[in-house]
Amino acid sequence: MESVKENEGFRYAINIERPAGKVDAIVQWCTLNFDDNWRWQICRSSSTTFPGNYTFFFNNNVDYMAFVLKYG
């Protein structure tokens, strides 16, 4: 679940899949609860038949663990 992303400037990363339209609420939750020290990336866009694949990146271990507990 955890991977080191030193080349990209982030210590922690987690990849999740979500159905169409569900990632927006996750991004909003992150924006409200975390500092500006996180990012996310679309690895595969969602469609009506396939979930989207997204990677979230963190430097702060507490933020990373909160995300894992809520969405991981």
Side-chain angles (χ1 to χ4, degrees):
M1 209 184 283
E2 178 180 329
S3 67
V4 177
K5 302 297 256 179
E6 292 173 343
N7 292 340
E8 297 180 31
F10 294 95
R11 295 179 59 207
Y12 307 98
I14 182 171
N15 186 271
I16 62 172
E17 289 189 347
R18 290 297 184 269
K22 299 296 182 184
V23 75
D24 295 335
I26 296 171
V27 172
Q28 183 176 8
W29 182 83
C30 291
T31 301
L32 292 172
N33 290 286
F34 301 143
D35 292 342
D36 191 35
N37 204 12
W38 65 278
R39 298 288 181 267
W40 70 291
Q41 172 182 340
I42 300 170
C43 300
R44 182 185 67 229
S45 294
S46 61
S47 70
T48 55
T49 55
F50 293 103
N53 188 296
Y54 311 95
T55 302
F56 285 77
F57 301 94
F58 304 92
N59 274 328
N60 183 312
N61 186 298
V62 173
D63 291 350
Y64 169 73
M65 290 307 300
F67 187 91
V68 169
L69 289 172
K70 186 158 180 78
Y71 297 109

PDB file of all heavy atoms in Angstrom, residues 14-20 22-23 26 43-44 46 50-56 67 71-72:
ATOM      1  N   ILE A  14      -0.769   6.110  -2.188  1.00  0.00           N
ATOM      2  CA  ILE A  14      -1.769   5.045  -2.146  1.00  0.00           C
ATOM      3  C   ILE A  14      -2.612   5.148  -3.410  1.00  0.00           C
ATOM      4  O   ILE A  14      -2.989   6.236  -3.839  1.00  0.00           O
ATOM      5  CB  ILE A  14      -2.647   5.113  -0.876  1.00  0.00           C
ATOM      6  CG1 ILE A  14      -3.630   3.948  -0.851  1.00  0.00           C
ATOM      7  CG2 ILE A  14      -3.314   6.454  -0.721  1.00  0.00           C
ATOM      8  CD1 ILE A  14      -4.392   3.788   0.446  1.00  0.00           C
ATOM      9  N   ASN A  15      -2.890   3.994  -3.990  1.00  0.00           N
ATOM     10  CA  ASN A  15      -3.681   3.914  -5.200  1.00  0.00           C
ATOM     11  C   ASN A  15      -5.064   3.369  -4.841  1.00  0.00           C
ATOM     12  O   ASN A  15      -5.169   2.386  -4.121  1.00  0.00           O
ATOM     13  CB  ASN A  15      -2.971   3.001  -6.205  1.00  0.00           C
ATOM     14  CG  ASN A  15      -3.663   2.997  -7.531  1.00  0.00           C
ATOM     15  OD1 ASN A  15      -4.561   2.205  -7.756  1.00  0.00           O
ATOM     16  ND2 ASN A  15      -3.253   3.895  -8.395  1.00  0.00           N
ATOM     17  N   ILE A  16      -6.106   4.048  -5.331  1.00  0.00           N
ATOM     18  CA  ILE A  16      -7.475   3.603  -5.067  1.00  0.00           C
ATOM     19  C   ILE A  16      -8.267   3.574  -6.372  1.00  0.00           C
ATOM     20  O   ILE A  16      -7.918   4.253  -7.333  1.00  0.00           O
ATOM     21  CB  ILE A  16      -8.200   4.503  -4.038  1.00  0.00           C
ATOM     22  CG1 ILE A  16      -8.325   5.940  -4.554  1.00  0.00           C
ATOM     23  CG2 ILE A  16      -7.487   4.470  -2.694  1.00  0.00           C
ATOM     24  CD1 ILE A  16      -9.200   6.836  -3.694  1.00  0.00           C
ATOM     25  N   GLU A  17      -9.326   2.806  -6.378  1.00  0.00           N
ATOM     26  CA  GLU A  17     -10.276   2.782  -7.490  1.00  0.00           C
ATOM     27  C   GLU A  17     -11.626   3.246  -6.977  1.00  0.00           C
ATOM     28  O   GLU A  17     -12.042   2.867  -5.886  1.00  0.00           O
ATOM     29  CB  GLU A  17     -10.406   1.380  -8.082  1.00  0.00           C
ATOM     30  CG  GLU A  17      -9.201   0.935  -8.851  1.00  0.00           C
ATOM     31  CD  GLU A  17      -9.440  -0.356  -9.609  1.00  0.00           C
ATOM     32  OE1 GLU A  17     -10.452  -1.043  -9.354  1.00  0.00           O
ATOM     33  OE2 GLU A  17      -8.605  -0.680 -10.463  1.00  0.00           O
ATOM     34  N   ARG A  18     -12.299   4.058  -7.788  1.00  0.00           N
ATOM     35  CA  ARG A  18     -13.627   4.542  -7.420  1.00  0.00           C
ATOM     36  C   ARG A  18     -14.496   4.644  -8.668  1.00  0.00           C
ATOM     37  O   ARG A  18     -14.008   4.938  -9.755  1.00  0.00           O
ATOM     38  CB  ARG A  18     -13.547   5.931  -6.768  1.00  0.00           C
ATOM     39  CG  ARG A  18     -12.911   5.938  -5.384  1.00  0.00           C
ATOM     40  CD  ARG A  18     -13.741   5.125  -4.405  1.00  0.00           C
ATOM     41  NE  ARG A  18     -13.256   5.170  -3.052  1.00  0.00           N
ATOM     42  CZ  ARG A  18     -12.394   4.316  -2.513  1.00  0.00           C
ATOM     43  NH1 ARG A  18     -11.878   3.360  -3.229  1.00  0.00           N
ATOM     44  NH2 ARG A  18     -12.037   4.414  -1.251  1.00  0.00           N
ATOM     45  N   PRO A  19     -15.809   4.420  -8.512  1.00  0.00           N
ATOM     46  CA  PRO A  19     -16.734   4.553  -9.642  1.00  0.00           C
ATOM     47  C   PRO A  19     -16.811   6.008 -10.129  1.00  0.00           C
ATOM     48  O   PRO A  19     -16.374   6.933  -9.430  1.00  0.00           O
ATOM     49  CB  PRO A  19     -18.079   4.123  -9.072  1.00  0.00           C
ATOM     50  CG  PRO A  19     -17.818   3.547  -7.731  1.00  0.00           C
ATOM     51  CD  PRO A  19     -16.470   4.000  -7.292  1.00  0.00           C
ATOM     52  N   ALA A  20     -17.400   6.175 -11.277  1.00  0.00           N
ATOM     53  CA  ALA A  20     -17.558   7.505 -11.874  1.00  0.00           C
ATOM     54  C   ALA A  20     -18.205   8.482 -10.893  1.00  0.00           C
ATOM     55  O   ALA A  20     -19.186   8.149 -10.233  1.00  0.00           O
ATOM     56  CB  ALA A  20     -18.393   7.407 -13.149  1.00  0.00           C
ATOM     57  N   LYS A  22     -17.162   9.604  -8.000  1.00  0.00           N
ATOM     58  CA  LYS A  22     -16.909   9.442  -6.558  1.00  0.00           C
ATOM     59  C   LYS A  22     -15.610  10.081  -6.088  1.00  0.00           C
ATOM     60  O   LYS A  22     -15.465  10.349  -4.895  1.00  0.00           O
ATOM     61  CB  LYS A  22     -16.905   7.956  -6.185  1.00  0.00           C
ATOM     62  CG  LYS A  22     -18.214   7.260  -6.455  1.00  0.00           C
ATOM     63  CD  LYS A  22     -19.313   7.825  -5.612  1.00  0.00           C
ATOM     64  CE  LYS A  22     -20.620   7.091  -5.841  1.00  0.00           C
ATOM     65  NZ  LYS A  22     -21.723   7.660  -5.108  1.00  0.00           N
ATOM     66  N   VAL A  23     -14.669  10.347  -6.974  1.00  0.00           N
ATOM     67  CA  VAL A  23     -13.380  10.890  -6.536  1.00  0.00           C
ATOM     68  C   VAL A  23     -13.503  12.359  -6.121  1.00  0.00           C
ATOM     69  O   VAL A  23     -12.739  12.834  -5.287  1.00  0.00           O
ATOM     70  CB  VAL A  23     -12.278  10.684  -7.598  1.00  0.00           C
ATOM     71  CG1 VAL A  23     -12.428  11.653  -8.761  1.00  0.00           C
ATOM     72  CG2 VAL A  23     -10.905  10.811  -6.967  1.00  0.00           C
ATOM     73  N   ILE A  26     -13.769  12.770  -2.447  1.00  0.00           N
ATOM     74  CA  ILE A  26     -12.505  12.438  -1.775  1.00  0.00           C
ATOM     75  C   ILE A  26     -11.542  13.613  -1.862  1.00  0.00           C
ATOM     76  O   ILE A  26     -10.917  13.994  -0.874  1.00  0.00           O
ATOM     77  CB  ILE A  26     -11.892  11.163  -2.385  1.00  0.00           C
ATOM     78  CG1 ILE A  26     -12.819   9.976  -2.130  1.00  0.00           C
ATOM     79  CG2 ILE A  26     -10.496  10.914  -1.829  1.00  0.00           C
ATOM     80  CD1 ILE A  26     -12.429   8.714  -2.865  1.00  0.00           C
ATOM     81  N   CYS A  43      -4.843   8.042 -12.835  1.00  0.00           N
ATOM     82  CA  CYS A  43      -4.108   7.006 -13.563  1.00  0.00           C
ATOM     83  C   CYS A  43      -4.967   6.418 -14.673  1.00  0.00           C
ATOM     84  O   CYS A  43      -4.464   6.055 -15.727  1.00  0.00           O
ATOM     85  CB  CYS A  43      -3.659   5.908 -12.603  1.00  0.00           C
ATOM     86  SG  CYS A  43      -2.583   6.517 -11.298  1.00  0.00           S
ATOM     87  N   ARG A  44      -6.269   6.306 -14.398  1.00  0.00           N
ATOM     88  CA  ARG A  44      -7.232   5.867 -15.406  1.00  0.00           C
ATOM     89  C   ARG A  44      -8.565   6.536 -15.088  1.00  0.00           C
ATOM     90  O   ARG A  44      -9.080   6.416 -13.981  1.00  0.00           O
ATOM     91  CB  ARG A  44      -7.406   4.346 -15.377  1.00  0.00           C
ATOM     92  CG  ARG A  44      -8.382   3.831 -16.445  1.00  0.00           C
ATOM     93  CD  ARG A  44      -8.653   2.327 -16.346  1.00  0.00           C
ATOM     94  NE  ARG A  44      -9.382   2.053 -15.114  1.00  0.00           N
ATOM     95  CZ  ARG A  44      -9.047   1.096 -14.249  1.00  0.00           C
ATOM     96  NH1 ARG A  44      -7.999   0.346 -14.455  1.00  0.00           N
ATOM     97  NH2 ARG A  44      -9.763   0.905 -13.161  1.00  0.00           N
ATOM     98  N   SER A  46     -12.521   7.242 -14.933  1.00  0.00           N
ATOM     99  CA  SER A  46     -13.662   6.352 -14.769  1.00  0.00           C
ATOM    100  C   SER A  46     -14.586   6.449 -15.976  1.00  0.00           C
ATOM    101  O   SER A  46     -14.573   7.431 -16.712  1.00  0.00           O
ATOM    102  CB  SER A  46     -14.426   6.699 -13.490  1.00  0.00           C
ATOM    103  OG  SER A  46     -14.902   8.023 -13.567  1.00  0.00           O
ATOM    104  N   PHE A  50     -16.284   1.068 -16.003  1.00  0.00           N
ATOM    105  CA  PHE A  50     -15.064   0.799 -15.246  1.00  0.00           C
ATOM    106  C   PHE A  50     -14.803   1.905 -14.222  1.00  0.00           C
ATOM    107  O   PHE A  50     -15.003   3.081 -14.520  1.00  0.00           O
ATOM    108  CB  PHE A  50     -13.842   0.702 -16.170  1.00  0.00           C
ATOM    109  CG  PHE A  50     -13.881  -0.475 -17.083  1.00  0.00           C
ATOM    110  CD1 PHE A  50     -14.222  -0.310 -18.411  1.00  0.00           C
ATOM    111  CD2 PHE A  50     -13.583  -1.745 -16.623  1.00  0.00           C
ATOM    112  CE1 PHE A  50     -14.263  -1.394 -19.274  1.00  0.00           C
ATOM    113  CE2 PHE A  50     -13.625  -2.835 -17.473  1.00  0.00           C
ATOM    114  CZ  PHE A  50     -13.966  -2.656 -18.794  1.00  0.00           C
ATOM    115  N   PRO A  51     -14.330   1.537 -13.028  1.00  0.00           N
ATOM    116  CA  PRO A  51     -13.980   2.563 -12.048  1.00  0.00           C
ATOM    117  C   PRO A  51     -12.701   3.292 -12.465  1.00  0.00           C
ATOM    118  O   PRO A  51     -11.898   2.766 -13.228  1.00  0.00           O
ATOM    119  CB  PRO A  51     -13.751   1.769 -10.765  1.00  0.00           C
ATOM    120  CG  PRO A  51     -13.363   0.417 -11.234  1.00  0.00           C
ATOM    121  CD  PRO A  51     -14.099   0.192 -12.527  1.00  0.00           C
ATOM    122  N   GLY A  52     -12.555   4.486 -11.939  1.00  0.00           N
ATOM    123  CA  GLY A  52     -11.321   5.228 -12.162  1.00  0.00           C
ATOM    124  C   GLY A  52     -10.240   4.742 -11.217  1.00  0.00           C
ATOM    125  O   GLY A  52     -10.518   4.196 -10.151  1.00  0.00           O
ATOM    126  N   ASN A  53      -9.004   4.946 -11.600  1.00  0.00           N
ATOM    127  CA  ASN A  53      -7.858   4.557 -10.794  1.00  0.00           C
ATOM    128  C   ASN A  53      -7.078   5.828 -10.480  1.00  0.00           C
ATOM    129  O   ASN A  53      -6.697   6.564 -11.398  1.00  0.00           O
ATOM    130  CB  ASN A  53      -7.005   3.560 -11.594  1.00  0.00           C
ATOM    131  CG  ASN A  53      -5.920   2.958 -10.762  1.00  0.00           C
ATOM    132  OD1 ASN A  53      -5.030   3.663 -10.311  1.00  0.00           O
ATOM    133  ND2 ASN A  53      -5.979   1.663 -10.572  1.00  0.00           N
ATOM    134  N   TYR A  54      -6.850   6.086  -9.190  1.00  0.00           N
ATOM    135  CA  TYR A  54      -6.258   7.347  -8.739  1.00  0.00           C
ATOM    136  C   TYR A  54      -5.151   7.067  -7.732  1.00  0.00           C
ATOM    137  O   TYR A  54      -5.266   6.162  -6.916  1.00  0.00           O
ATOM    138  CB  TYR A  54      -7.318   8.226  -8.075  1.00  0.00           C
ATOM    139  CG  TYR A  54      -8.565   8.358  -8.907  1.00  0.00           C
ATOM    140  CD1 TYR A  54      -9.654   7.523  -8.697  1.00  0.00           C
ATOM    141  CD2 TYR A  54      -8.649   9.296  -9.920  1.00  0.00           C
ATOM    142  CE1 TYR A  54     -10.799   7.613  -9.474  1.00  0.00           C
ATOM    143  CE2 TYR A  54      -9.787   9.405 -10.706  1.00  0.00           C
ATOM    144  CZ  TYR A  54     -10.861   8.566 -10.477  1.00  0.00           C
ATOM    145  OH  TYR A  54     -11.984   8.668 -11.248  1.00  0.00           O
ATOM    146  N   THR A  55      -4.104   7.873  -7.778  1.00  0.00           N
ATOM    147  CA  THR A  55      -3.046   7.774  -6.790  1.00  0.00           C
ATOM    148  C   THR A  55      -3.005   9.075  -6.007  1.00  0.00           C
ATOM    149  O   THR A  55      -3.013  10.161  -6.596  1.00  0.00           O
ATOM    150  CB  THR A  55      -1.675   7.513  -7.444  1.00  0.00           C
ATOM    151  OG1 THR A  55      -1.756   6.311  -8.202  1.00  0.00           O
ATOM    152  CG2 THR A  55      -0.589   7.360  -6.397  1.00  0.00           C
ATOM    153  N   PHE A  56      -2.979   8.948  -4.687  1.00  0.00           N
ATOM    154  CA  PHE A  56      -2.871  10.096  -3.785  1.00  0.00           C
ATOM    155  C   PHE A  56      -1.496  10.057  -3.137  1.00  0.00           C
ATOM    156  O   PHE A  56      -1.045   9.002  -2.694  1.00  0.00           O
ATOM    157  CB  PHE A  56      -3.972  10.047  -2.724  1.00  0.00           C
ATOM    158  CG  PHE A  56      -5.319  10.433  -3.275  1.00  0.00           C
ATOM    159  CD1 PHE A  56      -6.053   9.548  -4.042  1.00  0.00           C
ATOM    160  CD2 PHE A  56      -5.837  11.695  -3.038  1.00  0.00           C
ATOM    161  CE1 PHE A  56      -7.283   9.888  -4.565  1.00  0.00           C
ATOM    162  CE2 PHE A  56      -7.075  12.056  -3.551  1.00  0.00           C
ATOM    163  CZ  PHE A  56      -7.797  11.158  -4.317  1.00  0.00           C
ATOM    164  N   PHE A  67      -5.935   9.159   5.570  1.00  0.00           N
ATOM    165  CA  PHE A  67      -6.492   8.816   4.263  1.00  0.00           C
ATOM    166  C   PHE A  67      -6.679   7.307   4.121  1.00  0.00           C
ATOM    167  O   PHE A  67      -7.721   6.836   3.678  1.00  0.00           O
ATOM    168  CB  PHE A  67      -5.574   9.340   3.149  1.00  0.00           C
ATOM    169  CG  PHE A  67      -6.162   9.161   1.788  1.00  0.00           C
ATOM    170  CD1 PHE A  67      -6.941  10.157   1.213  1.00  0.00           C
ATOM    171  CD2 PHE A  67      -5.941   8.001   1.070  1.00  0.00           C
ATOM    172  CE1 PHE A  67      -7.501   9.986  -0.048  1.00  0.00           C
ATOM    173  CE2 PHE A  67      -6.499   7.816  -0.196  1.00  0.00           C
ATOM    174  CZ  PHE A  67      -7.274   8.818  -0.751  1.00  0.00           C
ATOM    175  N   TYR A  71     -10.230   5.821   3.334  1.00  0.00           N
ATOM    176  CA  TYR A  71     -10.478   5.428   1.938  1.00  0.00           C
ATOM    177  C   TYR A  71      -9.690   4.210   1.468  1.00  0.00           C
ATOM    178  O   TYR A  71      -9.959   3.695   0.396  1.00  0.00           O
ATOM    179  CB  TYR A  71     -10.162   6.594   0.995  1.00  0.00           C
ATOM    180  CG  TYR A  71     -11.049   7.778   1.223  1.00  0.00           C
ATOM    181  CD1 TYR A  71     -10.533   8.938   1.801  1.00  0.00           C
ATOM    182  CD2 TYR A  71     -12.384   7.736   0.880  1.00  0.00           C
ATOM    183  CE1 TYR A  71     -11.337  10.038   2.011  1.00  0.00           C
ATOM    184  CE2 TYR A  71     -13.202   8.831   1.096  1.00  0.00           C
ATOM    185  CZ  TYR A  71     -12.670   9.986   1.647  1.00  0.00           C
ATOM    186  OH  TYR A  71     -13.472  11.054   1.861  1.00  0.00           O
ATOM    187  N   GLY A  72      -8.713   3.770   2.254  1.00  0.00           N
ATOM    188  CA  GLY A  72      -7.807   2.718   1.784  1.00  0.00           C
ATOM    189  C   GLY A  72      -8.325   1.346   1.830  1.00  0.00           C
ATOM    190  O   GLY A  72      -9.286   0.786   1.802  1.00  0.00           O
TER     191      GLY A  72
END
